[in-house]
Every structure is written in structure tokens, then in C-alpha cells.
Amino acid sequence: MTMTSVSSRSSRIRALLGAALVAACGTATSRAADLGAVLPRAAPTFTMVDPSTWVVTVSGSIQAVPRYPGASDYTAVGYPSIDIRRVGEPRRFSTPDDGFSLSLYDSETFRIGPTARFVPGRYYGDDRRHLFGFRDARFAVEPGVFAEFYPVSFIRTRAEIRQGIYGHHGTVGSVAADYLMPVDKFLFSIGPRFNIGDASFARKYFGVSPTEAALNGRVTPYDPDSFYSAGALGAVTYTPNETWAYTAYAGYTRILGVSGDSPLVRRPFGNPNQYQFGLRIDYAFRMPALF
């Protein structure tokens, strides 16, 4: 074998190695480009905000809920709500069982502010047969504070603590978590719920005084010292465009502990299993900012 032959073979080997290297780099580059096209890109939030223009979302909701806490029959309730944000700010996720809230501090992962809820009252006219002798438990107003935290972008956690100022004077709280699943124009969410209340709240809606027991004649006195319940809520929102959105939801709550043992949530007076179903329609439009 001559030196010329060895040199020629070496040149061919180097050429083949170079071609293979170029091909491999090209394939890797192509795959990287494909991967970049597949992987989702994080949408920028809280950027390019236009402070001079508001996006106003007006909502109307109708839902079927227990007539009062612990009731076995249901009533339809309708109510409006409104959300205002500046153009460029994302609309925050919310569920129908959130209290009416206003954010005082709002970032991508955390927000906090005042909130309020209304609790349906229990009245003799709701069930004359079984509520005879019981004092009315008026509807309640519960202002308080809320905090939300997103440990990751697809999980929302929320806590509320509230104080009754009308109807009852107890302290109550709630903790919730929601797993968010966006699919095209749909957003699915589901998560657990936990509610607590002190003795004042429990006695108002689930207690039976000796006088009430004597007048009613079908129950014995009962004095619960706490309230708590647990359950879950699921929802699906369809957003065909920037103007309209439609949400359907369903939830379940079980009254537990000493309040769940109250005669007022046992048949024929009530039911510890509490359900809710509802629909919400959102309409959004832009307008000049008023302040």
C-alpha cells in the first residue's frame, strides 16, 4: 500500500466524518426547532398595561342552593357581579363560591384584599311543618379578608376569614384549592373545599334551645360548639371570544362534626349533604378609565 493510497483513504474518512457531523447537527437543529414549536411559551402578564382604558366584565349568575344552611330543599338565587381591570392585565380566575372580593395587592402569584359573603336565612315560612317554634335565623352578612396563592400556574389556593355583623356574630373561615385545566377555548377546574365556624355561628343555624324544643315537640335541645364542612366544586368555562364567556358549575358539601349531628340537618328537618348547581354568563367591554 502506497503513501498516496493511505492519504487518499484518510481524506475520504475525514470527509465522511464531516458529512456525518453536519447531518447530525442539522437533525439536532431541526429537532430543537420542532421542540420549540411544541413547547408552550409563557404568556407575559402584567406587561403592556394601558392605565387609560378599562375592561369591564359584567356577570349574571343563577344557581340552585339549599334554602338555608342544612336545608333539604332548594331555591333558585340570581345575582349580578362586576370585574374591572386595565387593558393588558389578565382577568383573575374565580369560582362561583368565592366571596365578593376586591384586590388591594395583586401579583402573578399572590393577591389579598377585602371580601364579603351572604348566608341565606332560615325562616318559619320556609318550612312551617318542621320549623314551628324555632326562632328565625336571619340572613347574614360576613365581611372579611381573603388571600390567594398560586404555587404553580395551574393550581390556585384561596383562604378567607370573615366576621358576621348581621344575622349572626360568629367568626367563619374557608379554605379552597382549584386545579386548572385549559383546553382550547375551555377552562376546567376542580378542587376541594373546607369551611369552619365558631360556636356562635354553629348555635345560630344548628342549635336548638330548650324553649324551641318544647314548642316544636319533635326535637330535643342541642348545643353545638363548632361548625365545619368539607366538599368539592367543579366548573367549566367556555370563552368563544373576548366579549362573552359561559360557566357551568356544580358543588357538594357535607356538614360534619357536632353541627352535622344537629336534629336540624337530619330528616325530616334537613340534610347534611348540601349541593349547588349554577350557570354564569360574562359580558366584557372596554371603556375609558374613570380614575
Side-chain angles (χ1 to χ4, degrees):
M1 183 180 294
T2 64
M3 294 296 293
T4 303
S5 176
V6 171
S7 175
S8 175
R9 286 185 179 181
S10 299
S11 298
R12 286 198 298 273
I13 290 172
R14 286 195 299 270
L16 289 172
L17 290 174
L21 182 62
V22 169
C25 290
T27 302
T29 302
S30 175
R31 288 180 178 176
D34 292 341
L35 184 62
V38 171
L39 290 177
R41 293 179 172 83
T45 58
F46 296 92
T47 58
M48 303 297 292
V49 174
D50 179 7
S52 64
T53 305
W54 283 352
V55 177
V56 180
T57 303
V58 179
S59 304
S61 300
I62 185 169
Q63 58 181 349
V65 296
R67 188 174 294 276
Y68 52 84
S72 59
D73 59 338
Y74 289 73
T75 185
V77 177
Y79 58 90
S81 60
I82 188 170
D83 175 80
I84 300 175
R85 68 189 190 278
R86 290 177 172 81
V87 168
E89 291 180 348
R91 186 181 181 190
R92 280 299 194 177
F93 169 80
S94 65
T95 58
D97 63 339
D98 290 346
F100 296 96
S101 305
L102 174 66
S103 296
L104 297 182
Y105 175 81
D106 196 337
S107 71
E108 293 183 67
T109 59
F110 181 77
R111 68 175 186 145
I112 190 171
T115 188
R117 291 200 189 204
F118 298 91
V119 180
R122 185 191 69 223
Y123 300 95
Y124 170 60
D126 294 333
D127 188 349
R128 295 177 182 272
R129 180 182 176 187
H130 298 111
L131 296 180
F132 176 79
F134 285 95
R135 293 172 299 172
D136 290 341
R138 297 175 299 177
F139 77 91
V141 180
E142 301 174 348
V145 296
F146 81 95
E148 285 185 5
F149 175 64
Y150 285 77
V152 291
S153 61
F154 53 86
I155 294 179
R156 182 199 74 154
T157 61
R158 179 182 172 101
E160 296 183 9
I161 183 168
R162 306 178 304 276
Q163 176 64 46
I165 61 172
Y166 181 84
H168 75 83
H169 298 282
T171 302
V172 293
S174 59
V175 179
D178 293 282
Y179 180 74
L180 313 180
M181 298 165 285
V183 180
D184 194 18
K185 295 182 178 181
F186 291 88
L187 175 62
F188 298 87
S189 66
I190 190 169
R193 300 292 189 268
F194 186 71
N195 303 285
I196 59 175
D198 64 6
S200 178
F201 176 87
R203 289 167 182 156
K204 185 69 175 181
Y205 295 100
F206 306 103
V208 181
S209 71
T211 301
E212 290 172 330
L215 290 172
N216 183 271
R218 303 173 65 184
V219 294
T220 57
Y222 193 74
D223 186 26
D225 59 2
S226 63
F227 165 81
Y228 63 95
S229 67
L233 185 135
V236 55
T237 298
Y238 173 59
T239 307
N241 49 55
E242 294 182 353
T243 303
W244 295 97
Y246 310 91
T247 300
Y249 55 93
Y252 166 76
T253 299
R254 171 84 178 187
I255 301 174
L256 302 169
V258 292
S259 289
D261 292 331
S262 168
L264 289 174
V265 296
R266 297 296 177 179
R267 294 191 180 278
F269 293 89
N271 194 331
N273 298 307
Q274 306 277 279
Y275 299 89
Q276 61 173 317
F277 308 92
L279 297 171
R280 184 179 72 193
I281 299 177
D282 300 332
Y283 174 72
F285 59 93
R286 299 189 180 195
M287 64 174 290
L290 301 181
F291 51 85

PDB file of all heavy atoms in Angstrom, residues 61-67 73-79 277:
ATOM      1  N   SER A  61     -75.460  35.555  37.302  1.00  0.00           N
ATOM      2  CA  SER A  61     -75.424  34.156  37.750  1.00  0.00           C
ATOM      3  C   SER A  61     -76.784  33.736  38.259  1.00  0.00           C
ATOM      4  O   SER A  61     -77.520  34.527  38.849  1.00  0.00           O
ATOM      5  CB  SER A  61     -74.381  33.977  38.864  1.00  0.00           C
ATOM      6  OG  SER A  61     -73.081  34.314  38.428  1.00  0.00           O
ATOM      7  N   ILE A  62     -77.102  32.478  38.041  1.00  0.00           N
ATOM      8  CA  ILE A  62     -78.274  31.870  38.648  1.00  0.00           C
ATOM      9  C   ILE A  62     -77.860  30.496  39.145  1.00  0.00           C
ATOM     10  O   ILE A  62     -77.132  29.769  38.459  1.00  0.00           O
ATOM     11  CB  ILE A  62     -79.459  31.781  37.658  1.00  0.00           C
ATOM     12  CG1 ILE A  62     -80.695  31.242  38.378  1.00  0.00           C
ATOM     13  CG2 ILE A  62     -79.116  30.940  36.444  1.00  0.00           C
ATOM     14  CD1 ILE A  62     -81.973  31.371  37.571  1.00  0.00           C
ATOM     15  N   GLN A  63     -78.280  30.172  40.370  1.00  0.00           N
ATOM     16  CA  GLN A  63     -77.867  28.903  40.942  1.00  0.00           C
ATOM     17  C   GLN A  63     -78.965  28.323  41.824  1.00  0.00           C
ATOM     18  O   GLN A  63     -79.822  29.051  42.343  1.00  0.00           O
ATOM     19  CB  GLN A  63     -76.582  29.073  41.746  1.00  0.00           C
ATOM     20  CG  GLN A  63     -76.664  30.076  42.871  1.00  0.00           C
ATOM     21  CD  GLN A  63     -75.343  30.206  43.615  1.00  0.00           C
ATOM     22  OE1 GLN A  63     -74.419  29.422  43.431  1.00  0.00           O
ATOM     23  NE2 GLN A  63     -75.253  31.213  44.469  1.00  0.00           N
ATOM     24  N   ALA A  64     -78.919  27.013  41.966  1.00  0.00           N
ATOM     25  CA  ALA A  64     -79.797  26.305  42.888  1.00  0.00           C
ATOM     26  C   ALA A  64     -78.979  25.944  44.115  1.00  0.00           C
ATOM     27  O   ALA A  64     -77.943  25.272  44.006  1.00  0.00           O
ATOM     28  CB  ALA A  64     -80.351  25.050  42.231  1.00  0.00           C
ATOM     29  N   VAL A  65     -79.414  26.416  45.282  1.00  0.00           N
ATOM     30  CA  VAL A  65     -78.688  26.207  46.533  1.00  0.00           C
ATOM     31  C   VAL A  65     -79.676  25.808  47.620  1.00  0.00           C
ATOM     32  O   VAL A  65     -80.886  26.038  47.489  1.00  0.00           O
ATOM     33  CB  VAL A  65     -77.931  27.487  46.959  1.00  0.00           C
ATOM     34  CG1 VAL A  65     -76.852  27.851  45.957  1.00  0.00           C
ATOM     35  CG2 VAL A  65     -78.906  28.648  47.139  1.00  0.00           C
ATOM     36  N   PRO A  66     -79.207  25.200  48.717  1.00  0.00           N
ATOM     37  CA  PRO A  66     -80.115  24.915  49.829  1.00  0.00           C
ATOM     38  C   PRO A  66     -80.797  26.190  50.317  1.00  0.00           C
ATOM     39  O   PRO A  66     -80.193  27.271  50.338  1.00  0.00           O
ATOM     40  CB  PRO A  66     -79.179  24.338  50.901  1.00  0.00           C
ATOM     41  CG  PRO A  66     -78.040  23.760  50.126  1.00  0.00           C
ATOM     42  CD  PRO A  66     -77.848  24.671  48.960  1.00  0.00           C
ATOM     43  N   ARG A  67     -82.046  26.063  50.705  1.00  0.00           N
ATOM     44  CA  ARG A  67     -82.819  27.236  51.104  1.00  0.00           C
ATOM     45  C   ARG A  67     -82.187  27.956  52.285  1.00  0.00           C
ATOM     46  O   ARG A  67     -82.261  29.172  52.402  1.00  0.00           O
ATOM     47  CB  ARG A  67     -84.256  26.825  51.427  1.00  0.00           C
ATOM     48  CG  ARG A  67     -85.203  27.982  51.661  1.00  0.00           C
ATOM     49  CD  ARG A  67     -86.617  27.488  51.832  1.00  0.00           C
ATOM     50  NE  ARG A  67     -87.121  26.895  50.605  1.00  0.00           N
ATOM     51  CZ  ARG A  67     -87.670  27.596  49.602  1.00  0.00           C
ATOM     52  NH1 ARG A  67     -87.752  28.908  49.681  1.00  0.00           N
ATOM     53  NH2 ARG A  67     -88.128  26.983  48.535  1.00  0.00           N
ATOM     54  N   ASP A  73     -84.397  21.188  51.125  1.00  0.00           N
ATOM     55  CA  ASP A  73     -84.996  21.674  49.890  1.00  0.00           C
ATOM     56  C   ASP A  73     -84.183  22.853  49.363  1.00  0.00           C
ATOM     57  O   ASP A  73     -83.390  23.459  50.082  1.00  0.00           O
ATOM     58  CB  ASP A  73     -86.463  22.058  50.082  1.00  0.00           C
ATOM     59  CG  ASP A  73     -86.643  23.140  51.135  1.00  0.00           C
ATOM     60  OD1 ASP A  73     -85.749  23.287  51.990  1.00  0.00           O
ATOM     61  OD2 ASP A  73     -87.668  23.850  51.093  1.00  0.00           O
ATOM     62  N   TYR A  74     -84.421  23.183  48.088  1.00  0.00           N
ATOM     63  CA  TYR A  74     -83.558  24.124  47.379  1.00  0.00           C
ATOM     64  C   TYR A  74     -84.359  25.297  46.832  1.00  0.00           C
ATOM     65  O   TYR A  74     -85.582  25.224  46.665  1.00  0.00           O
ATOM     66  CB  TYR A  74     -82.830  23.406  46.237  1.00  0.00           C
ATOM     67  CG  TYR A  74     -81.760  22.458  46.752  1.00  0.00           C
ATOM     68  CD1 TYR A  74     -82.104  21.260  47.368  1.00  0.00           C
ATOM     69  CD2 TYR A  74     -80.412  22.783  46.659  1.00  0.00           C
ATOM     70  CE1 TYR A  74     -81.141  20.399  47.869  1.00  0.00           C
ATOM     71  CE2 TYR A  74     -79.435  21.935  47.147  1.00  0.00           C
ATOM     72  CZ  TYR A  74     -79.809  20.752  47.750  1.00  0.00           C
ATOM     73  OH  TYR A  74     -78.838  19.922  48.263  1.00  0.00           O
ATOM     74  N   THR A  75     -83.627  26.359  46.554  1.00  0.00           N
ATOM     75  CA  THR A  75     -84.236  27.546  45.980  1.00  0.00           C
ATOM     76  C   THR A  75     -83.309  28.112  44.913  1.00  0.00           C
ATOM     77  O   THR A  75     -82.092  27.864  44.930  1.00  0.00           O
ATOM     78  CB  THR A  75     -84.499  28.606  47.068  1.00  0.00           C
ATOM     79  OG1 THR A  75     -85.203  29.718  46.495  1.00  0.00           O
ATOM     80  CG2 THR A  75     -83.192  29.119  47.663  1.00  0.00           C
ATOM     81  N   ALA A  76     -83.878  28.849  43.978  1.00  0.00           N
ATOM     82  CA  ALA A  76     -83.087  29.490  42.925  1.00  0.00           C
ATOM     83  C   ALA A  76     -82.680  30.891  43.371  1.00  0.00           C
ATOM     84  O   ALA A  76     -83.498  31.639  43.912  1.00  0.00           O
ATOM     85  CB  ALA A  76     -83.884  29.567  41.626  1.00  0.00           C
ATOM     86  N   VAL A  77     -81.423  31.218  43.161  1.00  0.00           N
ATOM     87  CA  VAL A  77     -80.886  32.522  43.550  1.00  0.00           C
ATOM     88  C   VAL A  77     -80.163  33.115  42.344  1.00  0.00           C
ATOM     89  O   VAL A  77     -79.343  32.450  41.707  1.00  0.00           O
ATOM     90  CB  VAL A  77     -79.907  32.396  44.736  1.00  0.00           C
ATOM     91  CG1 VAL A  77     -79.314  33.761  45.076  1.00  0.00           C
ATOM     92  CG2 VAL A  77     -80.604  31.805  45.953  1.00  0.00           C
ATOM     93  N   GLY A  78     -80.473  34.357  42.029  1.00  0.00           N
ATOM     94  CA  GLY A  78     -79.785  35.060  40.952  1.00  0.00           C
ATOM     95  C   GLY A  78     -79.124  36.314  41.482  1.00  0.00           C
ATOM     96  O   GLY A  78     -79.646  36.969  42.382  1.00  0.00           O
ATOM     97  N   TYR A  79     -77.957  36.652  40.938  1.00  0.00           N
ATOM     98  CA  TYR A  79     -77.258  37.845  41.395  1.00  0.00           C
ATOM     99  C   TYR A  79     -76.279  38.318  40.317  1.00  0.00           C
ATOM    100  O   TYR A  79     -75.760  37.519  39.535  1.00  0.00           O
ATOM    101  CB  TYR A  79     -76.517  37.576  42.707  1.00  0.00           C
ATOM    102  CG  TYR A  79     -75.501  36.454  42.627  1.00  0.00           C
ATOM    103  CD1 TYR A  79     -74.177  36.694  42.280  1.00  0.00           C
ATOM    104  CD2 TYR A  79     -75.880  35.142  42.894  1.00  0.00           C
ATOM    105  CE1 TYR A  79     -73.257  35.669  42.202  1.00  0.00           C
ATOM    106  CE2 TYR A  79     -74.972  34.115  42.820  1.00  0.00           C
ATOM    107  CZ  TYR A  79     -73.656  34.385  42.482  1.00  0.00           C
ATOM    108  OH  TYR A  79     -72.752  33.359  42.391  1.00  0.00           O
ATOM    109  N   PHE A 277     -75.773  24.006  42.135  1.00  0.00           N
ATOM    110  CA  PHE A 277     -75.627  23.947  40.688  1.00  0.00           C
ATOM    111  C   PHE A 277     -75.874  25.356  40.153  1.00  0.00           C
ATOM    112  O   PHE A 277     -76.713  26.082  40.690  1.00  0.00           O
ATOM    113  CB  PHE A 277     -76.634  22.979  40.060  1.00  0.00           C
ATOM    114  CG  PHE A 277     -76.636  21.604  40.675  1.00  0.00           C
ATOM    115  CD1 PHE A 277     -77.502  21.312  41.732  1.00  0.00           C
ATOM    116  CD2 PHE A 277     -75.777  20.618  40.223  1.00  0.00           C
ATOM    117  CE1 PHE A 277     -77.517  20.060  42.305  1.00  0.00           C
ATOM    118  CE2 PHE A 277     -75.775  19.360  40.789  1.00  0.00           C
ATOM    119  CZ  PHE A 277     -76.642  19.072  41.829  1.00  0.00           C
TER     120      PHE A 277
END
